[in-house]
Amino acid sequence: AGSSWHYVDTLQGDFTLTSTDRDTLMDGVSFHIFDSKPDTSSTVRPAYFGKQGISYYGRGIVTELSDISLLYLKDTTVNSSWSQTIQVTVPVLGTLSATVTSKLAEANVTRTVQGKSYSHVSHVSFTVGIQSPIPVTYAQGDWYAARGVGLLEMHILSQGSAVGSLYLKDYSIK
């Protein structure tokens, strides 16, 4: 409890994640609870990170997917891939099934974020495909996480245009 991560977020606004002393069980996965507080508001909402075997999950980080335990890392073998079917709400079309397909593009690399170098970094590429009458790639992106630190950076594109990026500005692990 008490560890914190401050992020620069071009999509939802900068925020801080602070580790609590609470855990919970959702979808059969044990999650540690974090407080997520935007820099521009006093509102605090929960965010969750969990692990089951070699599978890592996040929940509540992306506001639109707050009720979904998103599988963000499943293997440590470079080029391994995994997928997960989720429900998403798309303007005009309503709620549709989507498949999130992820691939471990790199492992144990070094990455510089906001001027700071991190080692033992995993790089995951992902696509979100919508199951509509005509299957479509709704979003795609990349995220980077460092062992012992957590999420460092994420970029999301939709239909070829940048939607948002997230960067770790600073952190304190207690």
Side-chain angles (χ1 to χ4, degrees), residues 26-43:
M26 292 184 283
D27 302 325
V29 177
S30 178
F31 285 88
H32 184 71
I33 303 172
F34 294 78
D35 288 335
S36 178
K37 183 191 168 303
D39 287 1
T40 58
S41 167
S42 60
T43 302

Side-chain angles (χ1 to χ4, degrees), residues 40-59:
T40 58
S41 167
S42 60
T43 302
V44 176
R45 62 181 177 82
Y48 309 87
F49 289 95
K51 180 182 177 194
Q52 184 177 46
I54 61 168
S55 299
Y56 291 81
Y57 296 87
R59 189 175 177 128

